[in-house]
């Protein structure tokens, strides 16, 4: 099993060669998730080597949000990386732990993480959907999918159910503002609360500007 720096170098090369990115799931996203995962792992006492490997490889296969196999992406990523991880010298239990963290990071997969390492990776990935970067990524995806920014009569879903397949702003109410309640680690929950509050303040500013 390689040292931390060497592991990251191998994983980055593997990801760059294979990943199919969209605007919100590019190499920059992966690098942010890795950095956040390392911070959370240190605070929570998770096994950093397993966390680093899973964080680097979590989106090596990424289907677009409107793709019929979207919920399968993390399973396919976990399956794909098994030979690579074995080649790096990870044993069976380590490979299984990394694969579990890759699978459970995904919101779409709806699989509960059962290890601290998987909880850390899931929290790190979800933090990248919140705060200033979360707002930017949400807008990028909405533009990429040609969605309207908001519904004219009720932009903030006060009297209707959110529909983020049509309106980008609805994604805040359909998913993003609800993510805070799904965080697994104490450090992750604290950062999620801070970033979610920032998003609420952004929405209030937007309400002022378009009202």
């Amino acid at each position: 099993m390689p040292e931390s720096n060497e592991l990251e170098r191998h994983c980055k090369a593997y990801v760059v060669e294979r990943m199919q990115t969209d605007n919100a799931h590019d190499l920059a996203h992966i690098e942010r998730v890795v950095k956040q995962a390392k911070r959370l792992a240190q605070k929570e006492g998770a096994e950093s080597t397993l966390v680093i490997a899973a964080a680097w490889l979590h989106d090596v296969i990424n289907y677009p949000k409107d793709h019929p196999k979207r919920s399968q992406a993390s399973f396919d990523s976990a399956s794909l990386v098994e030979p690579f991880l074995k080649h790096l010298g990870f044993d069976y239990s380590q490979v299984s732990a990394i694969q579990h963290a890759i699978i459970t990071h995904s919101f779409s997969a709806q699989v509960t993480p059962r290890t601290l390492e998987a909880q850390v990776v899931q929290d790190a990935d979800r933090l990248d959907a919140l705060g200033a970067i979360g707002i930017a990524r949400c807008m990028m995806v909405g533009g990429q999918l040609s969605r309207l920014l908001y519904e004219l009569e009720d932009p903030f879903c006060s009297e209707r159910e959110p529909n983020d397949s049509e309106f980008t702003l609805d994604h805040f109410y359909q998913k993003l503002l609800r993510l805070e309640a799904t965080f697994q680690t104490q450090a992750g929950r604290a950062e999620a609360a801070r970033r979610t509050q920032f998003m609420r303040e952004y929405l209030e500013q937007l309400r002022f500007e378009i009202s």
Side-chain angles (χ1 to χ4, degrees), residues 4 12 14 17 47 52 89-90 96 100 104 115 121 136 141 168 174 181 195-196 202 209:
S4 179
K12 182 175 183 177
Y14 181 90
E17 183 178 345
E47 173 53 59
I52 288 169
F90 288 101
S96 295
H100 175 66
T104 60
T115 67
V121 174
V141 172
T168 298
Q174 192 160 329
R195 295 191 185 199
T196 301
Y202 164 80
E209 292 180 11

Side-chain angles (χ1 to χ4, degrees), residues 3-181:
E3 295 294 327
S4 179
N5 289 341
E6 186 181 357
L7 172 62
E8 292 203 53
R9 182 173 59 82
H10 284 301
C11 286
K12 182 175 183 177
Y14 181 90
V15 167
V16 168
E17 183 178 345
R18 289 166 178 81
M19 72 181 300
Q20 296 178 330
T21 67
D22 61 38
N23 289 341
H25 297 85
D26 56 4
L27 185 61
H29 162 69
I30 291 178
E31 291 187 340
R32 289 191 303 269
V33 171
V34 170
K35 289 177 183 177
Q36 195 61 244
K38 288 193 288 188
R39 294 189 187 108
L40 295 179
Q42 184 177 20
K43 291 179 179 179
E44 299 291 333
E47 173 53 59
S48 62
T49 303
L50 303 181
V51 167
I52 288 169
W56 269 109
L57 301 171
H58 78 278
D59 269 347
V60 67
I61 292 179
N62 176 58
Y63 301 120
K65 286 190 176 296
D66 56 352
H67 194 283
K69 292 184 67 178
R70 175 69 177 178
S71 62
Q72 186 66 30
S74 66
F75 293 94
D76 291 349
S77 291
S79 178
L80 177 67
V81 302
E82 183 173 351
F84 171 68
L85 292 171
K86 290 179 177 178
H87 177 73
L88 290 179
F90 288 101
D91 63 27
Y92 174 80
S93 63
Q94 292 170 325
V95 171
S96 295
I98 294 168
Q99 288 179 305
H100 175 66
I102 291 171
I103 289 169
T104 60
H105 93 271
S106 170
F107 186 87
S108 303
Q110 294 292 299
V111 180
T112 302
R114 62 176 184 268
T115 67
L116 178 57
E117 290 71 29
Q119 291 174 345
V120 163
V121 174
Q122 185 184 93
D123 281 4
D125 182 67
R126 293 187 181 186
L127 282 174
D128 208 51
L130 300 178
I133 191 64
I135 294 171
R137 293 176 70 218
C138 180
M139 297 305 177
M140 288 173 69
V141 172
Q144 185 177 15
L145 297 175
S146 300
R147 294 171 179 167
L148 295 174
L149 180 56
Y150 56 86
E151 198 270 340
L152 289 175
E153 298 301 320
D154 186 5
F156 302 96
C157 302
S158 300
E159 298 179 1
R160 65 181 179 86
E161 289 298 313
N163 178 12
D164 64 3
S165 64
E166 291 191 31
F167 307 106
T168 298
L169 204 61
D170 286 26
H171 192 58
F172 286 81
Y173 299 97
Q174 192 160 329
K175 178 183 177 183
L176 300 183
L177 295 177
R178 300 177 180 180
L179 279 180
E180 182 183 355

